[in-house]
Amino acid sequence: MAPSTPTEFIEKWLAIPKRLSRQTLDRLAKKWMGFQTVAVGMLVPLIALALLLRAQPILTVRPLGELLFGTTWHPIKQAFGFYPFIMGTLWVTITSMIIAVPPSLMVAIYLAEYAPQRVRALIKPLIDLLAGIPSVVYGVWGVLTVVPLIRNYVAPTIDRWLSFVPLFQSDNPTGYSVLAGGVVLAVMVFPIIIAVAEEVIHAVPRDLREASLAMGATRWQTMKYVTLRKAVAGVIAAIGLGFSRAFGETMAVMMVVGNVPKVPSSILDSAYPLTALIANNYGEMMSVPLYDAALLGAALFLMVVVLIFNIASRLTLVRLVQHS
Amino acid sequence: MKWSKVEEKIFVAIMICSTVVVLSSLALILGTVIWRGLPALNLAMLIQTPKGGYYLGKEGGILNAILGSLFLAGGATALALAISLPIALYLHFYAERSWHGEVVRLALDVLWGIPSIVYGAFAFTLMLWLGLRASLLGGIIALSLLELPIMTRGMDEAINMVHPLLKEASYSLGATRLETALKIVVRQSIPGLLTAVLLAFGRGIGDAASVLFTAGFTDHLPTSLFEPAASLPLAIFFQLSTPFPAVQDRAYASALVLTGIVLTLSLISRRLAGRLTEHVIR
Amino acid sequence: MLSDRKSDMSEPHIRMNDLNVWYGSYHILRHITADIPAQGITAIIGPSGCGKTTLLKSINRLLDEMEGTRVQGQIWLDGMNIYDNGVDVTEVRTRVGFLAPKPSPLPMSIYDNVAYGPRIHQHDHNSRGSKNQDLDRIVELNLRAAGLWEEVKDRLRSSASQLSTGQQQRLCLARALAVKPDVLLCDEPTSALDPIAAQKIEAQLRELKKERTIVVVTHMLRQARRMADHVIFLWMGELVEAGPAMQMFAKPRDGRTQAYLDGDIG
Ligand SMILES: Nc1ncnc2c1ncn2[C@@H]1O[C@H](COP(=O)(O)OP(=O)(O)O)[C@@H](O)[C@H]1O
Ligand SMILES: [Mg+2]
């Protein structure tokens, strides 16, 4: 009999699953969810494979060494040397880590070991907030605050007092520089390093800290000689995660580093990171032979580096968690 | 005074300074965006699409980008939700304490770390194969990939918080794993699940690098899944790239809008989580 | 007035006066007033959860490290109230050592574990501070005092975590002794050990009591009978009875003590 009222219709419709036994339904669900899970588990190799296929054309005609260490970038003339861009990325990333790591670790130690519960409950959400700010907003902040600061104050000061150090010599007057990118990226990776490092420091067994304190060690001595020694792998993992985040960041960096395709020799020079190269040229890449292959190859390179750092860090953290 | 005490004091001072530096960077960012964005913000900007010559400083607004971003992130969140929840449940009900569950978690953590521009490039490749042009759909695909690990891990953790006894009680009453998952555990972990969804949405709406390739940009409101769609982050970027101060001011205002959306989301999720936990058994 | 207690050996080494401890709003130790005589072994006994660990940790201010604890009252150590403002906590802890129930070797070599204490105090007190051969001597001396020297003398540089649990506990003992504490607090020092390893620890403690004041928390009555010169009986955060071991075990004054000793409660 066909359902005549909406209620009957709904009842009929609801009854359909009931015809399947509950156990069958459970098994079906398991299959379906399992399929999705495996599919997502395969996503990492899938992405790598897809990018590899797209980069294939250039990888077959150009030796890898030439791509990685070639210094000329001129797609129209079919010259695809990534060296300046790789160096740009490295300069900016390393600068950001030098700026970010010490304060991040200090904050992590403070939160894990010193801060009273109330202070921790206040500070942690604020730091999480920092993680939620979109990267383009970081870029805007960089353009409005960091770049002018470097142009008007930092660069002249360095020029006056430290210009004998090669690392600080530059004729770039704009403020759009490795240093600007480093500062912006540093602030972006604060929350990552702090969160992970705090967690691993916190995970060090109480007994161990108590044993040290009970011998008359101060809290800092305990941290320095015992807790950090125990947590060192996890802290390195935290830094690794921060590094890979900084390495792959695009928008904020390209807004403040100047994008001049030259290997930087000073933190006040401009740089042109790989991510910015991809983002700036996606529009025209389909119109020049091998150009798209080169850019997707660059994306693949980024991914591989980030993967290495990420997997190493994550494995370390997983092992630490299992031990504690 | 003893050296160890002096050392202790020095390092505590350094720690507090570092904390102040980190927190003041947050204050500085929010302060800068508000200070430069607020004066430039007006209602007309929020309810108009760009008119001719908008990027030269003429009439118009960023409604296209606001709506585009909501559609992009909304679509991506819905898509990611459809994939995330089953995975999170699978990890807890069918792959409990097994090594492949751990491998999937590791894979998700690794996916979380992949740069958004790589997701953009990958989605772009997919679109080429599928014959799609830059479009709302393309952007949704890219963003959903980006949101997927964030949401799944968040849900995984939320479900982890459910008291194990609840699960056992449900089993002992004869419920299947599926029934326990959907009727007991999902309901119990709704605050956490919602937090994960909002977190992912916030990440999606703020991302620029992945939609750059895939969603394109347009001055029109999105009308179909196969048309290009504007997005707030890109609108900010393009407006800031013009040489006209008036347009740059609009970029600051747009940045304020985006920051406002993201922070509101995060506040809401915090509130919701707090309120909804009242009915959760721990 | 209490200033030169130390010279007078018949006076108590530690004197607790109306000691109260709260965890949050939970009043866990109530009005404890007790003396711990100099030298000898004082056993703190009582059912688990009655506050023995808490009492022990209050004596070297390890309670300070736990958030949410509040301490009221005084503990006099050689005439100094360790809860006075301005007391140097690290100094108190250097004088009052602590041995935890579960061995917790620091993540370093056997040698470095024992040398840990002397090294961290090196900067502060040049008298305690030591050159390398001094350090070698200190390490050997304390490993001997803990009865571990013969077993580890050939592998001082290997990691402490490779030792057996019993050896680890004796290493922790050596480590605690290396800062020359006047008082040694032991919280169920054998509870994680097998009987043979437990015996070794007990033997070392009996040896050590000749020069030090030792306080042992235990919930094993037999152990208390074997070791204790003095006994303090705690019951639900209150001190029920304290006195010489002989008298306590033979003729307890309080009915609760009797019941506990008979195995009726706890
Ligand atoms: N950090 C703490 N916070 C709250 N309560 C605690 C804490 N540590 C111990 N307690 C409680 O204080 C009581 C006494 O603990 P403890 O001194 O460890 O007893 P004992 O060593 O005699 O077994 C117990 O009931 C325990 O649950
Ligand atoms: Mg105890």
Side-chain angles (χ1 to χ4, degrees), chain A residues 6-75:
Chain A
T7 334
E8 268 181 49
F9 179 82
I10 291 171
E11 274 169 3
K12 178 109 183 170
W13 182 76
L14 275 181
I16 295 170
K18 279 185 190 148
R19 281 204 208 120
L20 294 169
S21 93
R22 295 162 55 223
Q23 257 62 32
T24 319
L25 210 61
D26 189 56
R27 270 198 300 280
L28 279 178
K30 177 181 177 176
K31 287 235 170 66
W32 171 244
M33 292 175 172
F35 166 74
Q36 281 197 1
T37 308
V38 171
V40 169
M42 297 299 291
L43 205 52
V44 174
L46 197 70
I47 295 174
L49 192 68
L51 293 180
L52 187 63
L53 282 178
R54 295 282 303 161
Q56 181 74 24
I58 197 163
L59 291 175
T60 47
V61 299
R62 294 275 192 287
L64 197 58
E66 188 189 314
L67 288 173
L68 293 182
F69 299 109
T71 49
T72 346
W73 178 262
H74 212 308

XYZ file of all heavy atoms in Angstrom, chain A residues 6-75:
562
model
N 2.005 12.358 5.091
C 3.448 12.587 5.309
C 3.989 11.724 6.444
O 5.080 11.174 6.337
C 3.502 14.068 5.683
C 2.275 14.659 5.114
C 1.233 13.584 5.103
N 3.210 11.588 7.514
C 3.683 10.795 8.648
C 3.952 9.361 8.225
O 4.999 8.785 8.523
C 2.634 10.785 9.776
O 1.855 11.947 9.686
C 3.295 10.629 11.109
N 2.993 8.829 7.488
C 3.167 7.457 7.028
C 4.398 7.331 6.146
O 5.151 6.372 6.225
C 1.933 7.008 6.237
C 0.892 6.314 7.089
C -0.273 5.878 6.232
O -0.020 5.252 5.185
O -1.428 6.178 6.604
N 4.557 8.345 5.314
C 5.703 8.329 4.410
C 7.009 8.273 5.205
O 7.898 7.474 4.930
C 5.678 9.571 3.520
C 6.843 9.638 2.575
C 6.820 8.923 1.386
C 7.975 10.383 2.897
C 7.901 8.968 0.534
C 9.051 10.419 2.045
C 9.014 9.713 0.859
N 7.068 9.136 6.217
C 8.294 9.171 7.021
C 8.502 7.844 7.741
O 9.608 7.306 7.776
C 8.237 10.343 8.035
C 8.326 11.664 7.270
C 9.382 10.265 9.042
C 8.063 12.885 8.094
N 7.387 7.310 8.262
C 7.504 6.031 8.956
C 8.030 4.950 8.024
O 8.907 4.163 8.366
C 6.138 5.608 9.521
C 5.879 6.216 10.893
C 4.444 6.015 11.322
O 3.686 5.357 10.579
O 4.095 6.526 12.403
N 7.470 4.963 6.831
C 7.871 3.973 5.832
C 9.374 4.144 5.523
O 10.139 3.195 5.474
C 7.030 4.188 4.574
C 7.360 3.277 3.436
C 6.228 2.264 3.238
C 6.605 1.301 2.148
N 5.700 0.176 2.050
N 9.721 5.423 5.346
C 11.104 5.725 4.982
C 12.067 5.306 6.093
O 13.115 4.735 5.869
C 11.218 7.222 4.720
C 12.571 7.659 4.293
C 13.125 7.489 3.071
C 13.528 8.338 5.097
N 14.381 8.019 3.049
C 14.665 8.540 4.270
C 13.561 8.795 6.416
C 15.800 9.183 4.750
C 14.683 9.439 6.866
C 15.789 9.622 6.039
N 11.636 5.596 7.315
C 12.465 5.223 8.451
C 12.576 3.720 8.603
O 13.528 3.199 9.155
C 11.879 5.810 9.738
C 12.283 7.235 10.061
C 11.645 7.669 11.367
C 13.795 7.344 10.163
N 11.575 3.029 8.112
C 11.552 1.580 8.300
C 12.565 0.888 7.404
O 12.957 -0.235 7.681
C 10.158 1.036 8.021
N 12.987 1.573 6.358
C 13.896 0.904 5.426
C 15.135 0.340 6.113
O 15.423 -0.843 5.981
C 14.274 1.842 4.261
C 13.021 2.146 3.438
C 15.323 1.186 3.375
C 13.214 3.226 2.422
N 15.821 1.165 6.882
C 17.024 0.587 7.502
C 16.696 -0.576 8.424
O 17.514 -1.452 8.619
C 17.610 1.746 8.299
C 16.825 2.933 7.954
C 15.638 2.544 7.186
N 15.495 -0.562 8.973
C 15.161 -1.608 9.914
C 15.108 -2.975 9.243
O 15.216 -4.010 9.875
C 13.823 -1.311 10.582
C 13.989 -0.313 11.720
C 12.699 -0.107 12.477
C 12.834 1.057 13.439
N 11.580 1.782 13.630
N 14.904 -2.972 7.937
C 14.870 -4.261 7.244
C 16.249 -4.902 7.252
O 16.373 -6.109 7.297
C 14.394 -4.061 5.808
C 12.894 -3.901 5.764
C 12.395 -4.292 4.412
N 11.179 -3.523 4.176
C 11.048 -2.684 3.173
N 12.013 -2.544 2.295
N 9.938 -2.017 3.020
N 17.266 -4.046 7.158
C 18.609 -4.593 7.325
C 18.775 -4.918 8.799
O 18.324 -4.159 9.649
C 19.668 -3.551 6.947
C 19.713 -3.123 5.497
C 20.618 -1.924 5.351
C 20.220 -4.261 4.647
N 19.416 -6.007 9.092
C 19.595 -6.299 10.505
C 20.606 -5.327 11.091
O 21.422 -4.756 10.363
C 20.060 -7.737 10.693
O 21.460 -7.776 10.744
N 20.514 -5.110 12.379
C 21.401 -4.143 13.005
C 22.858 -4.544 12.831
O 23.730 -3.711 12.660
C 21.048 -4.023 14.492
C 19.665 -3.446 14.701
C 19.164 -3.722 16.095
N 20.097 -3.229 17.092
C 20.438 -3.914 18.173
N 19.926 -5.099 18.386
N 21.280 -3.406 19.032
N 23.075 -5.846 12.862
C 24.460 -6.320 12.713
C 24.993 -6.017 11.318
O 26.125 -5.597 11.147
C 24.533 -7.829 12.983
C 25.090 -8.185 14.356
C 24.230 -7.642 15.481
O 23.017 -7.528 15.338
N 24.858 -7.275 16.586
N 24.125 -6.246 10.300
C 24.543 -5.962 8.936
C 24.901 -4.488 8.797
O 25.910 -4.125 8.189
C 23.408 -6.293 7.947
O 22.802 -7.501 8.371
C 23.934 -6.407 6.547
N 24.048 -3.671 9.379
C 24.276 -2.235 9.312
C 25.641 -1.888 9.921
O 26.401 -1.097 9.379
C 23.162 -1.538 10.092
C 22.777 -0.150 9.592
C 22.286 -0.248 8.161
C 21.693 0.424 10.480
N 25.903 -2.509 11.053
C 27.173 -2.266 11.729
C 28.334 -2.655 10.829
O 29.320 -1.921 10.703
C 27.200 -3.072 13.035
C 28.394 -2.714 13.893
O 28.545 -1.516 14.200
O 29.166 -3.616 14.247
N 28.187 -3.827 10.166
C 29.286 -4.271 9.290
C 29.460 -3.342 8.100
O 30.567 -3.001 7.707
C 29.026 -5.698 8.813
C 29.605 -6.760 9.752
C 29.722 -8.072 9.041
N 28.435 -8.551 8.560
C 27.531 -9.159 9.344
N 27.799 -9.359 10.618
N 26.380 -9.569 8.848
N 28.310 -2.925 7.528
C 28.376 -1.998 6.393
C 29.076 -0.705 6.798
O 29.936 -0.189 6.076
C 26.967 -1.677 5.897
C 26.338 -2.723 4.972
C 24.922 -2.300 4.602
C 27.194 -2.885 3.717
N 28.691 -0.202 7.959
C 29.292 1.045 8.435
C 30.790 0.872 8.594
O 31.585 1.728 8.212
C 28.669 1.444 9.772
N 31.167 -0.268 9.148
C 32.587 -0.508 9.344
C 33.319 -0.468 8.011
O 34.359 0.167 7.866
C 32.798 -1.866 10.015
C 34.267 -2.178 10.168
C 34.541 -3.513 10.799
C 36.047 -3.722 10.821
N 36.433 -4.934 11.482
N 32.726 -1.110 6.985
C 33.357 -1.140 5.667
C 33.510 0.268 5.103
O 34.557 0.661 4.627
C 32.513 -1.985 4.698
C 32.590 -3.471 4.960
C 33.016 -4.211 3.697
C 33.334 -5.661 3.991
N 32.146 -6.422 4.413
N 32.398 1.006 5.201
C 32.397 2.333 4.587
C 33.385 3.275 5.302
O 34.209 3.941 4.680
C 30.994 2.918 4.618
C 30.931 4.356 4.207
C 30.564 5.403 4.966
C 31.292 4.881 2.920
N 30.672 6.561 4.252
C 31.114 6.269 2.991
C 31.763 4.319 1.735
C 31.377 7.110 1.928
C 32.023 5.169 0.660
C 31.827 6.537 0.754
N 33.301 3.284 6.629
C 34.204 4.149 7.386
C 35.650 3.719 7.173
O 36.546 4.551 7.050
C 33.871 4.078 8.879
C 32.534 4.681 9.244
S 32.209 4.383 11.001
C 30.744 5.369 11.239
N 35.851 2.414 7.127
C 37.199 1.901 6.911
C 37.735 2.327 5.563
O 38.891 2.742 5.432
N 36.861 2.293 4.553
C 37.297 2.713 3.227
C 37.742 4.173 3.244
O 38.801 4.536 2.732
C 36.158 2.500 2.229
C 36.366 3.201 0.922
C 37.297 2.716 0.006
C 35.672 4.368 0.615
C 37.508 3.378 -1.184
C 35.893 5.038 -0.571
C 36.803 4.538 -1.478
N 36.911 5.017 3.868
C 37.264 6.440 3.950
C 38.589 6.635 4.686
O 39.427 7.443 4.289
C 36.180 7.192 4.708
C 34.979 7.480 3.853
C 34.116 8.569 4.463
O 34.432 9.109 5.503
N 33.048 8.881 3.788
N 38.730 5.872 5.761
C 39.939 6.033 6.563
C 41.174 5.666 5.753
O 42.167 6.393 5.743
C 39.845 5.154 7.825
O 38.616 5.437 8.475
C 40.994 5.422 8.761
N 41.087 4.543 5.064
C 42.234 4.134 4.256
C 42.510 5.163 3.168
O 43.655 5.547 2.926
C 41.978 2.734 3.644
C 43.055 2.406 2.628
C 41.931 1.690 4.736
N 41.427 5.656 2.556
C 41.603 6.646 1.493
C 42.350 7.871 2.011
O 43.282 8.366 1.371
C 40.246 7.047 0.925
N 41.952 8.351 3.175
C 42.620 9.535 3.716
C 44.052 9.200 4.146
O 44.968 9.994 3.978
C 41.807 10.126 4.883
C 42.607 11.172 5.630
C 40.548 10.753 4.335
N 44.223 7.966 4.664
C 45.571 7.543 5.012
C 46.490 7.537 3.797
O 47.695 7.766 3.919
N 45.897 7.295 2.622
C 46.706 7.239 1.402
C 46.921 8.610 0.784
O 47.564 8.727 -0.256
C 46.020 6.338 0.359
C 45.866 4.888 0.771
S 47.448 4.121 1.050
C 48.040 4.082 -0.624
N 46.327 9.636 1.405
C 46.343 10.952 0.772
C 47.759 11.503 0.603
O 48.072 12.109 -0.425
C 45.487 11.914 1.603
C 44.896 13.116 0.877
C 44.163 12.687 -0.366
C 43.955 13.873 1.807
N 48.598 11.268 1.609
C 49.950 11.832 1.525
C 50.691 11.289 0.293
O 51.158 12.078 -0.549
C 50.749 11.559 2.817
C 52.185 12.019 2.658
C 50.097 12.253 3.995
N 50.796 9.947 0.150
C 51.454 9.448 -1.061
C 50.733 9.869 -2.337
O 51.396 10.138 -3.350
C 51.408 7.922 -0.899
C 50.624 7.629 0.300
C 50.475 8.857 1.094
N 49.406 9.977 -2.266
C 48.642 10.367 -3.452
C 49.030 11.777 -3.908
O 49.240 12.023 -5.105
C 47.151 10.312 -3.112
C 46.221 10.282 -4.315
C 46.360 8.944 -5.021
C 44.778 10.511 -3.878
N 49.112 12.692 -2.955
C 49.486 14.064 -3.309
C 50.881 14.075 -3.909
O 51.126 14.693 -4.962
C 49.437 14.978 -2.055
C 48.006 15.094 -1.543
C 49.992 16.352 -2.370
C 47.877 15.847 -0.229
N 51.795 13.352 -3.258
C 53.169 13.317 -3.759
C 53.196 12.756 -5.175
O 53.872 13.292 -6.069
C 54.042 12.483 -2.829
N 52.437 11.694 -5.400
C 52.419 11.052 -6.711
C 51.862 12.000 -7.771
O 52.418 12.136 -8.874
C 51.568 9.781 -6.635
C 51.696 8.863 -7.847
C 53.099 8.267 -7.887
C 50.645 7.762 -7.794
N 50.757 12.659 -7.446
C 50.143 13.575 -8.412
C 51.116 14.678 -8.795
O 51.287 15.000 -9.983
C 48.867 14.164 -7.822
N 51.775 15.248 -7.772
C 52.718 16.331 -8.065
C 53.893 15.798 -8.883
O 54.387 16.462 -9.798
C 53.214 16.973 -6.767
C 52.147 17.735 -5.970
C 52.754 18.329 -4.708
C 51.520 18.839 -6.813
N 54.304 14.588 -8.543
C 55.425 13.982 -9.275
C 55.061 13.805 -10.748
O 55.856 14.118 -11.646
C 55.779 12.634 -8.647
C 57.035 11.958 -9.204
C 58.255 12.818 -8.915
C 57.225 10.573 -8.604
N 53.854 13.314 -10.994
C 53.416 13.124 -12.377
C 53.413 14.440 -13.140
O 53.837 14.513 -14.293
C 52.007 12.511 -12.409
C 51.950 11.011 -12.137
C 50.509 10.519 -12.154
C 52.785 10.265 -13.179
N 52.948 15.484 -12.471
C 52.872 16.788 -13.140
C 54.264 17.385 -13.340
O 54.481 18.166 -14.257
C 52.019 17.747 -12.316
C 50.573 17.327 -12.209
C 49.808 17.651 -13.447
N 49.890 19.076 -13.732
C 49.638 19.605 -14.915
N 49.278 18.833 -15.907
N 49.736 20.898 -15.083
N 55.181 17.047 -12.452
C 56.529 17.603 -12.573
C 57.389 16.760 -13.508
O 58.474 17.183 -13.911
C 57.185 17.683 -11.187
N 56.883 15.587 -13.842
C 57.617 14.627 -14.664
C 58.280 15.240 -15.898
O 59.471 15.023 -16.137
C 56.643 13.524 -15.077
C 57.220 12.413 -15.913
C 58.087 11.502 -15.067
O 57.902 11.429 -13.865
N 59.050 10.844 -15.694
N 57.527 16.035 -16.698
C 58.126 16.552 -17.940
C 59.457 17.255 -17.722
O 60.397 17.040 -18.500
C 57.076 17.536 -18.449
C 55.793 17.047 -17.884
C 56.122 16.419 -16.576
N 59.537 18.048 -16.675
C 60.798 18.788 -16.497
C 61.866 17.917 -15.862
O 63.059 18.068 -16.139
C 60.577 20.081 -15.676
C 61.785 21.006 -15.878
C 60.396 19.795 -14.199
C 61.531 22.403 -15.483
N 61.428 16.962 -15.042
C 62.409 16.089 -14.397
C 63.081 15.173 -15.419
O 64.230 14.754 -15.224
C 61.736 15.248 -13.303
C 61.271 16.045 -12.085
C 60.503 15.175 -11.115
C 62.454 16.698 -11.381
N 62.386 14.875 -16.523
C 63.001 13.996 -17.518
C 63.989 14.742 -18.403
O 64.936 14.155 -18.900
C 61.937 13.326 -18.406
O 61.021 14.321 -18.840
C 61.209 12.236 -17.646
N 63.760 16.040 -18.633
C 64.684 16.762 -19.525
C 65.758 17.559 -18.792
O 66.716 18.009 -19.411
C 63.924 17.694 -20.486
C 62.983 16.884 -21.366
C 63.161 18.756 -19.714
N 65.571 17.765 -17.498
C 66.590 18.526 -16.755
C 67.095 17.666 -15.601
O 66.293 17.134 -14.840
C 65.988 19.805 -16.159
C 65.531 20.827 -17.176
C 66.675 21.720 -17.625
N 66.180 22.853 -18.372
C 65.701 22.780 -19.617
N 65.628 21.623 -20.226
N 65.266 23.857 -20.238
N 68.400 17.553 -15.444
C 68.898 16.804 -14.279
C 68.537 17.543 -12.983
O 68.468 18.778 -12.973
C 70.420 16.784 -14.482
C 70.720 17.729 -15.582
C 69.463 18.071 -16.308
N 68.311 16.766 -11.935
C 67.869 17.329 -10.664
C 68.868 18.379 -10.147
O 68.494 19.428 -9.650
C 67.709 16.202 -9.641
C 66.888 16.531 -8.401
C 65.491 16.980 -8.782
C 66.837 15.351 -7.452
N 70.154 18.063 -10.323
C 71.187 18.983 -9.864
C 71.051 20.351 -10.508
O 71.175 21.378 -9.846
N 70.761 20.343 -11.780
C 70.635 21.611 -12.497
C 69.434 22.410 -11.981
O 69.502 23.633 -11.832
C 70.482 21.339 -14.004
C 70.528 22.600 -14.844
C 70.149 22.311 -16.299
O 70.670 21.321 -16.853
O 69.325 23.050 -16.844
N 68.346 21.691 -11.688
C 67.163 22.376 -11.169
C 67.438 22.956 -9.792
O 67.122 24.115 -9.509
C 65.986 21.398 -11.077
C 65.371 20.966 -12.399
C 64.337 19.881 -12.160
C 64.725 22.166 -13.090
N 68.048 22.161 -8.915
C 68.241 22.591 -7.535
C 69.330 23.643 -7.399
O 69.258 24.514 -6.545
C 68.570 21.390 -6.637
C 67.457 20.372 -6.456
C 67.894 19.264 -5.507
C 66.190 21.035 -5.918
N 70.375 23.532 -8.241
C 71.516 24.428 -8.054
C 71.696 25.442 -9.172
O 72.609 26.253 -9.117
C 72.789 23.611 -7.845
C 72.715 22.741 -6.616
C 72.601 21.363 -6.720
C 72.715 23.310 -5.354
C 72.503 20.569 -5.597
C 72.620 22.517 -4.219
C 72.510 21.151 -4.343
N 70.829 25.365 -10.207
C 70.900 26.366 -11.266
C 70.500 27.720 -10.724
O 69.581 27.832 -9.929
N 71.227 28.757 -11.150
C 70.955 30.070 -10.566
C 70.129 30.959 -11.484
O 69.725 32.053 -11.079
C 72.265 30.794 -10.233
O 73.109 30.730 -11.381
C 72.957 30.143 -9.049
N 69.912 30.529 -12.732
C 69.127 31.382 -13.629
C 67.681 30.921 -13.676
O 67.398 29.747 -13.878
C 69.656 31.317 -15.082
O 70.933 30.706 -15.057
C 69.692 32.662 -15.719
N 66.804 31.877 -13.518
C 65.373 31.602 -13.608
C 64.829 32.450 -14.740
O 64.710 33.662 -14.613
C 64.674 31.940 -12.303
C 63.194 31.726 -12.351
C 62.235 32.690 -12.568
C 62.505 30.498 -12.224
N 60.999 32.126 -12.572
C 61.121 30.773 -12.360
C 62.901 29.172 -12.012
C 60.148 29.775 -12.297
C 61.928 28.192 -11.942
C 60.559 28.492 -12.089
N 64.546 31.814 -15.865
C 64.041 32.552 -17.009
C 63.152 31.614 -17.818
O 63.592 31.044 -18.821
C 65.211 33.055 -17.862
C 64.893 34.356 -18.535
N 63.760 34.532 -19.287
C 65.552 35.534 -18.570
C 63.721 35.763 -19.748
N 64.807 36.413 -19.329
N 61.911 31.454 -17.399
C 61.037 30.430 -17.995
C 60.918 30.559 -19.513
O 60.898 29.556 -20.214
C 59.693 30.686 -17.325
C 60.031 31.322 -16.037
C 61.247 32.148 -16.292
